[in-house]
């Protein structure tokens, strides 16, 4: 009787391990199936000519995958928020300058853009076709890079510098100062990714000091802004 009891227990234990193994295989299979469906969906969208839409879907999936190991706020809020905190993020948005066009060497108007994605006049020409939304003719966002020095603990104010990059022209610095009154006035300002111009905090911009520029376009801020999050922007 004892032998039969042990044999039955052994079979039950083996069955349990087999079921657990099957469950793991089924889980992996489900994940692979979902991934294949997502890839197929993106392929269909891009095959129909809607390239930008396909890229948007891919970026959204990529953000979901990479959010877990990153700073939590970076996945849920505008980059200004994890960089500066909500009060300063709001006042940085509220005081943002108009990303106006300047005439480039060829006589064409050039607006500030993200230097990581556009380095030529052709992609920085303001859109006159009615699309609006702060886009250029090539669909680039008007952009300003931000730098903040918070001196409130020493009895000072919040100093904000907006760095505007125009291809072939170079950099322009627009400075704002905010105290208690400005921070209070901006308390209900919304901070949205879709706002114009797009705002990119230099303090958390990865590899910001290692981008190469022509001699006439070297950023005045390069190598002098201290990163807020170690490993993000050295």
């Amino acid at each position: 009787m004892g032998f039969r009891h042990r044999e039955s227990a052994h079979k039950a234990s083996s069955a349990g391990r087999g079921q657990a193994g099957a469950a793991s295989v089924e889980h992996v299979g489900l994940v692979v199936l979902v991934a294949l469906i997502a890839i197929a969906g993106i392929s269909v969208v891009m095959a129909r000519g809607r390239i930008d839409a396909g890229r948007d879907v891919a970026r959204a999936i990529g953000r979901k995958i990479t959010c877990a190991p990153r700073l939590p706020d970076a996945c849920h809020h505008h980059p200004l928020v994890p960089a500066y905190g909500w009060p300063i993020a709001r006042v940085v948005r509220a005081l943002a300058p108009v990303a106006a066009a300047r005439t480039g060497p060829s006589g064409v108007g050039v607006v500030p853009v993200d230097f990581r994605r556009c380095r030529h006049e052709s992609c920085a020409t303001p859109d006159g076709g009615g699309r609006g939304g702060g886009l250029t003719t090539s669909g680039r966002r008007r952009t300003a890079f931000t730098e903040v020095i918070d001196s409130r603990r020493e009895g000072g104010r919040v100093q904000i510098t907006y760095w505007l990059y125009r291809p072939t022209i170079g950099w322009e610095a627009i400075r704002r100062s905010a105290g208690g009154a400005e921070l209070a006035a901006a308390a209900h300002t919304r901070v949205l990714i879709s706002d114009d111009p797009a705002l990119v905090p230099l303090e958390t911009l990865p590899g910001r000091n290692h981008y190469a520029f022509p001699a006439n376009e070297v950023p005045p801020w390069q190598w002098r802004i201290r990163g807020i999050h170690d490993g993000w922007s050295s």
Side-chain angles (χ1 to χ4, degrees), residues 8-224:
S8 298
H10 175 71
K11 289 181 178 179
S13 176
S14 299
R17 287 194 299 269
Q19 289 174 357
S24 299
V25 172
E26 290 172 357
H27 177 72
V28 172
L30 180 60
V31 171
V32 172
L33 177 60
V34 171
L36 290 174
I37 292 173
I39 293 171
I42 295 170
S43 301
V44 170
V45 170
M46 297 180 72
R48 292 177 178 176
R50 292 155 60 185
I51 302 299
D52 291 338
R55 288 173 180 165
D56 289 342
V57 173
R59 280 194 292 267
I61 294 173
R63 281 196 298 272
K64 294 298 183 183
I65 294 173
T66 58
C67 271
R70 297 181 61 194
L71 185 71
D73 276 345
C75 294
H76 304 292
H77 299 302
H78 190 287
L80 293 177
V81 178
Y84 308 130
W86 274 109
I88 294 181
R90 289 188 175 106
V91 80
V92 169
R93 169 53 67 190
L95 300 179
V98 175
R102 300 280 186 272
T103 303
S106 65
V108 176
V110 179
V111 296
V113 291
D114 189 333
F115 67 84
R116 296 170 296 175
R117 299 175 175 85
C118 175
R119 295 287 190 96
H120 304 282
E121 283 187 350
S122 59
C123 58
T125 304
D127 179 25
R131 285 188 300 176
L135 298 177
T136 67
T137 52
S138 64
R140 303 295 181 183
R141 293 284 305 281
R142 299 178 191 233
T143 302
F145 295 84
T146 62
E147 174 193 1
V148 169
I149 299 175
D150 187 357
S151 302
R152 288 177 296 170
R153 289 186 179 180
E154 295 77 30
R157 295 165 64 84
V158 177
Q159 305 298 328
I160 308 165
T161 304
Y162 299 89
W163 292 99
L164 280 60
Y165 168 74
R166 298 178 178 87
T168 70
I169 296 176
W171 293 86
E172 175 188 8
I174 298 178
R175 294 181 171 85
R176 302 278 192 265
S177 177
E182 289 80 9
L183 287 163
H188 299 291
T189 299
R190 302 182 69 187
V191 184
L192 304 175
I193 294 292
S194 57
D195 287 336
D196 177 39
L199 298 178
V200 180
L202 286 170
E203 291 87 347
T204 56
L205 181 65
R208 66 175 181 277
N209 294 320
H210 302 284
Y211 285 94
F213 291 86
N216 64 324
E217 294 185 6
V218 174
W221 48 261
Q222 208 165 37
W223 294 106
R224 73 169 189 77

